[in-house]
Amino acid sequence: MSHLIQKLATFLSMIMALAPPCLSSMTTGSGYLYPQFYDRSCPRAQEIVKSVVSNAVAREARMAASLLRLHFHDCFVKGCDGSLLLDSTGRIVSEKRSNPNRNSARGFEVIDEIKSALEKECPHTVSCADILALAARDSTVLAGGPSWEVPLGRRDSRGASLSGSNNDIPAPNNTFETILTKFKRQGLDLVDMVALSGSHTIGNARCTSFRQRLYNQTGNGKPDTTLDPSYAAQLRGRCPRSGGDQNLFFLDYVTPVHFDNSYFKNLLAYKGLLSSDQVLVTKSRESMALVKEYAGSNQLFFEQFAKSMVKMGSISPLTGSKGEVRKSCRKVNSY
């Protein structure tokens, strides 16, 4: 009898080892995502992603922000399914052509490099959607930000949505209510919105993204009254009324390549670069209270940012037999 009990216990322990760990998994409408997803099928997956991202950020510090942004722009369109990475084909119109991505989304060659390395290590195993999620976490850490366990197990879509990319991603000139509505549509709340906006502590924006604040914010030919005048004067030096559309400006002029809470301090000083940043202080008491909390505590910001990134990374993933694992992140598999 004791022998049978021992065999049963061994069998049960094997079943538990194969099951996704409840404490660190994210239950989604499509199934489970959990950090240990590749522990058996591709044990070095996370190590390989981190290595390639580290080299890319070492070559160009700005790449950290670019890779983080790719994950955000992917998840807000059709869920976190790698749809952003697809190039246009006869039946696919790439999301790279959308207003939020055209001439600004970048880092695709880094994702290609990661995918190539993973295909050599463990062919047809690690999805492009999971690569985006891991690269976003690693980029944040390399820039000095928080770390978190990334739930894994996403699969890749076989299509893209240009209209979704144009309509669902918050724009620099959207109103506070429009931005909040776009977040809520994804199952994210005001806390997530403010915390995730903190990713603008690194990266750049083009002149065309905020020019209206300098010259014609409300259509009356006058600058935005919520923008510090001395800061506005500096910006006008390289962002004229016409021309210079692609000139780049730091989103956080204080610590532009370091992930910290200075972004929120800038907002309180009315030195947020984008209108979509500054409205967090000027259009909502609740969001302003959160901005003040994060400006006062780097630790509090880091903790919430990590939570909100896990939540965002779990928007409508494809799991199980849905979608596919692409061999190339730029095109669907041919069968």
Side-chain angles (χ1 to χ4, degrees):
M1 180 66 72
S2 61
H3 180 65
L4 287 173
I5 292 173
Q6 186 175 2
K7 288 184 70 175
L8 180 61
T10 301
F11 176 73
L12 288 173
S13 66
M14 289 174 63
I15 294 297
M16 290 299 290
L18 293 172
C22 295
L23 291 177
S24 57
S25 66
M26 289 293 293
T27 307
T28 70
S30 310
Y32 279 103
L33 301 179
Y34 56 102
Q36 298 82 7
F37 188 84
Y38 296 110
D39 280 7
R40 288 177 174 78
S41 60
C42 193
R44 293 187 60 239
Q46 297 201 41
E47 177 189 336
I48 289 170
V49 174
K50 183 178 180 180
S51 175
V52 176
V53 172
S54 296
N55 290 336
V57 173
R59 289 193 299 267
E60 183 193 12
R62 180 188 171 200
M63 188 55 69
S66 298
L67 293 174
L68 178 56
R69 186 170 183 255
L70 286 183
H71 183 41
F72 181 92
H73 281 211
D74 179 48
C75 289
F76 264 61
V77 183
K78 295 170 70 268
C80 307
D81 61 0
S83 62
L84 169 61
L85 303 174
L86 290 170
D87 288 337
S88 292
T89 63
R91 66 180 188 85
I92 293 175
V93 180
S94 177
E95 293 170 19
K96 298 172 185 177
R97 294 185 177 182
S98 71
N99 291 328
N101 294 323
R102 190 173 60 248
N103 299 323
S104 65
R106 58 196 300 276
F108 298 110
E109 70 285 352
V110 178
I111 302 300
D112 292 340
E113 187 180 347
I114 295 170
K115 183 60 174 172
S116 177
L118 287 170
E119 284 299 307
K120 290 178 183 177
E121 176 76 14
C122 34
H124 206 54
T125 301
V126 182
S127 70
C128 300
D130 277 347
I131 290 172
L132 284 175
L134 288 168
R137 187 271 312 275
D138 293 342
S139 294
T140 301
V141 173
L142 286 164
S147 185
W148 59 90
E149 278 199 314
V150 179
L152 300 166
R154 302 166 191 79
R155 287 167 65 84
D156 300 320
S157 70
R158 295 190 178 101
S161 176
L162 180 64
S163 62
S165 188
N166 276 321
N167 297 321
D168 296 339
I169 297 172
N173 58 350
N174 279 163
T175 65
F176 177 87
E177 287 301 329
T178 297
I179 297 167
L180 183 57
T181 297
K182 290 181 177 181
F183 270 80
K184 286 184 174 179
R185 197 182 295 157
Q186 307 296 344
L188 303 172
D189 58 24
L190 178 66
V191 175
D192 300 313
M193 175 178 140
V194 177
L196 292 173
S197 295
S199 63
H200 285 178
T201 182
I202 55 175
N204 299 263
R206 295 172 297 156
C207 167
T208 186
S209 298
F210 62 88
R211 175 184 281 120
Q212 84 285 348
R213 299 191 71 201
L214 303 179
Y215 304 102
N216 190 27
Q217 176 68 359
T218 57
N220 62 359
K222 294 182 179 180
D224 188 347
T225 56
T226 68
L227 182 62
D228 176 81
S230 62
Y231 183 45
Q234 292 178 28
L235 297 173
R236 281 193 289 267
R238 292 186 55 245
C239 187
R241 285 182 182 273
S242 62
D245 285 6
Q246 305 305 317
N247 289 350
L248 293 174
F249 295 77
F250 293 128
L251 286 162
D252 169 7
Y253 73 98
V254 177
T255 54
V257 296
H258 187 67
F259 198 102
D260 58 21
N261 66 341
S262 63
Y263 162 82
F264 296 103
K265 296 176 183 178
N266 295 341
L267 297 187
L268 295 176
Y270 296 94
K271 294 182 179 180
L273 184 64
L274 306 179
S275 177
S276 55
D277 293 324
Q278 199 60 57
V279 292
L280 297 181
V281 164
T282 60
K283 298 298 182 181
S284 164
R285 290 182 179 179
E286 292 84 359
S287 66
M288 183 176 186
L290 289 166
V291 168
K292 287 182 176 179
E293 285 187 32
Y294 300 148
S297 172
N298 207 55
Q299 181 181 351
L300 187 66
F301 165 47
F302 277 20
E303 288 174 358
Q304 185 56 55
F305 184 82
K307 291 177 185 176
S308 293
M309 282 297 292
V310 171
K311 191 174 173 183
M312 186 195 77
S314 300
I315 297 173
S316 306
L318 300 173
T319 58
S321 59
K322 296 180 180 179
E324 64 181 14
V325 175
R326 292 184 212 137
K327 296 177 182 177
S328 164
C329 290
R330 292 178 181 262
K331 59 184 179 181
V332 298
N333 295 335
S334 55
Y335 297 99

